[in-house]
Amino acid sequence: MITMWTDEKIHQFRKTLLNWYDQAGRKNLPWRQDQDPYHVWVSEIMLQQTQVNTVIPYYQRFMTLFPTVEALASAPEEQLLKAWEGLGYYSRVRNMQKAAQQLVTDGRVEWPQTMKELEKLKGIGPYTAAAIASIAFLEPVAAIDGNAFRVLARLFKIDADIRLPRTRQLFFEVGNQLIDPKRPGDFNQAIMDLGSSYMTAKNYDSEHSPVKAFNAAYQDGTEDFYPVKSKARPARLIHYFAVRITSPSGYLFEKRPKQGLLANFWTMPLYALTEFTEDPEADWQLAEMVTATEKRLKMDYGIQTTLKPLSEKAITHVYSHQKWQVIVLTGTLDTEVDVKRGQWQTLSEIAKKPQPKVQEKIWQHLRAHK
DNA sequence: GAATCGTGGTA
DNA sequence: TTACCAAGATT
């Protein structure tokens, strides 16, 4: 059960928080130079599950390449993915383009100005809708992100599991009672700045926090209990072969399917070992697996060649829900051949394609074992 | 509600 | 090395 503060205490909190924000807030961030909804939107999408320092150069480049909603709406997908390359969660930028196309009607951009309406746009959920509505349109709605979960959980000693979707509503209601109706955008951003400075997840410094007097968990020394968050499931281990084939025409490269992990990104052919063995956790023989891969390469691409492991040592690459162990196999063709799938590409052609981080690791691995 | 979807930083 | 965290949304 949460004990809500008195009106007097709420007013004191707003004043304390916003005074601190005016004095110490990160006003120099590139997306905080104005309240243009497009700027707020792009920054909020980029900042999802991504740290501020990572986002800054991406944001600046993106605004140069796609300065307006119209530019975003009409951009070629490959150019968008290239601009997002390395940021991760690539459906974010695909969804953003769909939303941009929703926004452009009869050649003009019409922005919905409420959280409720903003949530109807692709890729804009409750957090991002509240952030845009409060910052760009001054609607008093709480933007509940990881920072707000953590800050509010400590201020009010809320012990609901923040990993559970149903918990969001509780925090949203608490936030909506606290938010300053005159400066809703600044209030939300102040909570986030607080959550990324004095009230971080680890190594927090509640002692020097401007709102320590309001922090119930700090006041009774229980702050490392908050927020309550259940454990995530461990990532599943998957073994892969990455196949580097060269010919006089270049490297064999392939565009991934338009749905799922790394959709529409380009990689060398990848085979999960589950293609060749029932139990890839068991003690498999590398030579047998390589022979099986040669057969599949002929079936899938029409390529006949001998493959050799570049190294016994695998590349490790971790996603949120999968852990890849990738062994690189190499093969060479001396003559030009047509392929049933994929494309032959030169290095300069490849450089223009959006490639995932794991492909970059494969390139590095190849250079290291040359 | 549980799974999916990336990458970089840090203890 | 492992585990967790970082301005979440979609299916």
Side-chain angles (χ1 to χ4, degrees), chain A residues 104-115:
Chain A
V104 179
T105 49
D106 302 330
R108 5 196 319 265
V109 178
E110 292 193 45
W111 274 98
Q113 310 214 348
T114 63
M115 173 181 175

Side-chain angles (χ1 to χ4, degrees), chain A residues 298-329:
Chain A
K298 181 159 172 52
M299 280 174 48
D300 297 340
Y301 298 86
I303 286 175
Q304 177 96 38
T305 185
T306 306
L307 297 175
K308 295 174 77 163
L310 187 65
S311 160
E312 298 275 330
K313 194 156 173 58
I315 297 165
T316 299
H317 190 73
V318 179
Y319 298 101
S320 308
H321 58 303
Q322 294 179 11
K323 179 175 179 175
W324 288 16
Q325 295 274 3
V326 183
I327 289 183
V328 178
L329 307 179

Side-chain angles (χ1 to χ4, degrees), chain A residues 182-194:
Chain A
K182 290 194 178 65
R183 300 179 60 189
D186 288 342
F187 183 94
N188 279 330
Q189 294 181 92
I191 292 285
M192 293 189 250
D193 281 11
L194 195 58

Side-chain angles (χ1 to χ4, degrees), chain A residues 39-55:
Chain A
H39 297 165
V40 177
W41 177 36
V42 172
S43 68
E44 292 300 342
I45 298 293
M46 285 189 172
L47 286 161
Q48 289 172 6
Q49 304 293 287
T50 311
Q51 295 189 11
V52 167
N53 285 337
T54 304
V55 166

Side-chain angles (χ1 to χ4, degrees), chain A residues 127-152:
Chain A
Y127 163 73
T128 306
I132 298 172
S134 64
I135 297 170
F137 303 117
L138 300 181
E139 186 185 3
V141 281
I144 306 301
D145 70 331
N147 290 302
F149 272 122
R150 185 171 55 256
V151 169
L152 296 177

Side-chain angles (χ1 to χ4, degrees), chain A residues 5 9 12-25 151 155 189-200 204-216 218-219:
Chain A
W5 298 341
K9 187 168 179 180
Q12 285 301 319
F13 178 77
R14 290 172 183 162
K15 191 173 153 190
T16 305
L17 179 69
L18 287 170
N19 281 346
W20 170 75
Y21 180 72
D22 289 338
Q23 176 257 319
V151 169
L155 294 185
Q189 294 181 92
I191 292 285
M192 293 189 250
D193 281 11
L194 195 58
S196 57
S197 56
Y198 292 101
M199 297 184 70
T200 48
Y204 43 81
D205 183 16
S206 307
E207 170 61 29
H208 298 99
S209 161
V211 300
K212 74 171 179 180
F214 300 88
N215 187 340
Y218 170 72
Q219 293 300 330

